[in-house]
Amino acid sequence: MPSWNDLNLAWNTLREINVDDIRKEAESPLTIVCVGATRVCQSIAARLEYGEQRYGAVGPSPIHLANLASIVPAEIRNVDLVIIGLDRNIRLSARELTVIEQLAALSLPTVVVVWGTALPTDAGPLHPRVAHARLLVVPDPDAPDTDRQLAEAVLERLPASLHLAAARRLPGLRPVLAKQLISSVSFTNASYVLATALPSQIPLLNMPFAAADTLILTKNQAMLVYRLALAYGAPPDIRERLFEVLPVIGGAFIWRQLARMLVGLIPVWGVAPKVAIAYAGTYTTGTAAWRWFAEGEIVDRERLQEIGREAIQLGREQAALLMAKARETGSQQVGRWKRLWQRLRQMWRRK
């Protein structure tokens, strides 16, 4: 169990974060219109609205169902997302085809869902003017992956600035967004450590850089935890969320701190372990917080170690990819400097 000093350290770190911006993002207005076959649209809405609601519902659903034949496209030009739900067993009328063309002309973020068909996934959009839409073909609506695929399609087309607000009000999006948030922040922390790795290899600079790394990584982790809390419908008070989740992530938090100290203060270990630890520590902390906000689950030590082993493996893979990319970028930069130097020498000789 974390001590009061751990809580104080975490709170002091969080006080420096502008959580108001995150809160405003989570509370942004959101409007989604689903048009098409009634049965399909009702099923889509139910799947997006259903899910883990440990903290209760957060406001009314942002999804509005509409009839494809009677809707006036010009009246929905300001919505955030359009979902067109089609049933393979229902033939579209001329009026409905015209409306689809009119919706396409608006160029709104759009997801076209074709329910109950075995069309190939690379069949392309239903109409040339819907090229900007995400086409989701669902041969079997009862398949285990249908809800996940639907959530991924919605988040892919919905503007990123509305992801948090959408998950807060649509529980069906939460598991997919949580995974995306954890992976994204873990990657960000790993990238940051790689960017600061070279100066931290200098013995005289190692200690201050290790301390700076810890502060930045902790802030990013804190923002990740807060975003997960808001995504799962928790009240937005940051102090209450900190008190609530700290005992849960304490093991992951302390484990990451110890790992960073060990790796950060032993330069001979090299860059790769530091990058892997940054990724793994963030991944472990985020996963522990996710399970708490989703189901009130306190991850036990055995499960935490299991998550840690998985995180380390992912961290090593990400470290290898990041370092390979860094070497490639470095080689390109060296090549540019060599070419520039050769041009300067040629110009000098001409004089």
Side-chain angles (χ1 to χ4, degrees), residues 250-261:
F253 183 88
I254 294 173
W255 173 79
R256 195 272 298 166
Q257 292 284 77
L258 292 175
R260 282 291 302 151
M261 288 177 61

Side-chain angles (χ1 to χ4, degrees), residues 28-148:
S28 299
L30 175 69
T31 303
I32 298 174
V33 172
C34 187
V35 298
T38 301
R39 181 180 65 88
V40 175
C41 287
Q42 288 175 342
S43 181
I44 289 172
R47 291 167 186 267
L48 294 176
E49 292 166 354
Y50 176 78
E52 297 158 336
Q53 296 200 55
R54 179 166 171 253
Y55 297 91
V58 183
S61 172
I63 300 178
H64 303 272
L65 305 184
N67 187 285
L68 191 56
S70 60
I71 192 173
V72 179
E75 294 180 355
I76 63 169
R77 62 173 63 253
N78 294 321
V79 304
D80 300 300
L81 179 71
V82 174
I83 302 176
I84 302 176
L86 304 177
D87 189 328
R88 66 178 297 270
N89 297 313
I90 300 178
R91 186 179 182 83
L92 294 174
S93 66
R95 164 62 182 167
E96 289 172 329
L97 289 172
T98 299
V99 171
I100 289 179
E101 291 188 25
Q102 292 173 343
L103 288 173
L106 296 177
S107 298
L108 295 169
T110 304
V111 176
V112 177
V113 181
V114 184
W115 216 248
T117 183
L119 286 175
T121 56
D122 60 352
L126 298 176
H127 189 280
R129 296 185 69 178
V130 201
H132 64 285
R134 167 70 155 83
L135 176 62
L136 176 62
V137 178
V138 184
D140 180 10
D142 296 323
D145 286 345
T146 298
D147 291 354
R148 176 185 58 79

Side-chain angles (χ1 to χ4, degrees), residues 77-338:
R77 62 173 63 253
N78 294 321
V79 304
D80 300 300
L81 179 71
V82 174
I83 302 176
I84 302 176
L86 304 177
D87 189 328
R88 66 178 297 270
N89 297 313
I90 300 178
R91 186 179 182 83
L92 294 174
S93 66
R95 164 62 182 167
E96 289 172 329
L97 289 172
T98 299
V99 171
I100 289 179
E101 291 188 25
Q102 292 173 343
L103 288 173
L106 296 177
S107 298
L108 295 169
T110 304
V111 176
V112 177
V113 181
V114 184
W115 216 248
T117 183
L119 286 175
T121 56
D122 60 352
L126 298 176
H127 189 280
R129 296 185 69 178
V130 201
H132 64 285
R134 167 70 155 83
L135 176 62
L136 176 62
V137 178
V138 184
D140 180 10
D142 296 323
D145 286 345
T146 298
D147 291 354
R148 176 185 58 79
Q149 292 173 357
L150 178 60
E152 289 176 346
V154 168
L155 290 173
E156 181 181 323
R157 280 298 178 264
L158 194 67
S161 60
L162 293 174
H163 283 187
L164 192 57
R168 186 166 174 80
R169 296 173 64 184
L170 294 173
L173 298 176
R174 292 171 181 175
V176 171
L177 181 62
K179 291 180 180 179
Q180 292 178 355
L181 284 173
I182 293 170
S183 296
S184 175
V185 179
S186 297
F187 183 83
T188 296
N189 275 355
S191 301
Y192 173 81
V193 168
L194 178 60
T196 60
L198 290 179
S200 70
Q201 297 300 296
I202 303 173
L204 291 178
L205 298 179
N206 183 254
M207 184 69 75
F209 268 91
D213 283 359
T214 297
L215 179 60
I216 296 298
L217 299 187
T218 300
K219 284 186 176 182
N220 288 344
Q221 286 187 2
M223 286 189 285
L224 168 61
V225 169
Y226 188 50
R227 285 181 179 275
L228 289 170
L230 295 181
Y232 272 86
D237 189 297
I238 183 63
R239 185 186 294 269
E240 290 183 6
R241 301 289 71 78
L242 177 61
F243 274 95
E244 175 185 4
V245 79
L246 191 67
V248 181
I249 66 172
F253 183 88
I254 294 173
W255 173 79
R256 195 272 298 166
Q257 292 284 77
L258 292 175
R260 282 291 302 151
M261 288 177 61
L262 288 174
V263 177
L265 300 178
I266 305 178
V268 74
W269 281 26
V271 175
K274 297 181 179 182
V275 177
I277 287 293
Y279 186 98
T282 306
Y283 184 94
T284 304
T285 300
T287 301
W290 171 28
R291 298 318 310 155
W292 171 257
F293 291 125
E295 299 180 353
E297 174 188 352
I298 297 180
V299 181
D300 58 30
R301 182 177 296 274
E302 182 178 350
R303 175 60 178 147
L304 188 62
Q305 291 175 346
E306 181 182 340
I307 295 172
R309 286 191 292 269
E310 175 188 353
I312 281 292
Q313 180 58 37
L314 290 172
R316 287 170 176 165
E317 294 172 1
Q318 290 297 326
L321 291 174
L322 282 169
M323 293 184 69
K325 182 65 177 178
R327 283 193 291 267
E328 178 185 348
T329 303
S331 298
Q332 293 174 352
Q333 293 293 341
V334 170
R336 292 192 185 99
W337 280 108
K338 285 184 177 179

Side-chain angles (χ1 to χ4, degrees), residues 330-347:
S331 298
Q332 293 174 352
Q333 293 293 341
V334 170
R336 292 192 185 99
W337 280 108
K338 285 184 177 179
R339 289 192 295 272
L340 177 60
W341 176 244
Q342 290 173 353
R343 290 174 186 171
L344 290 174
R345 290 182 63 184
Q346 291 173 356
M347 292 173 59

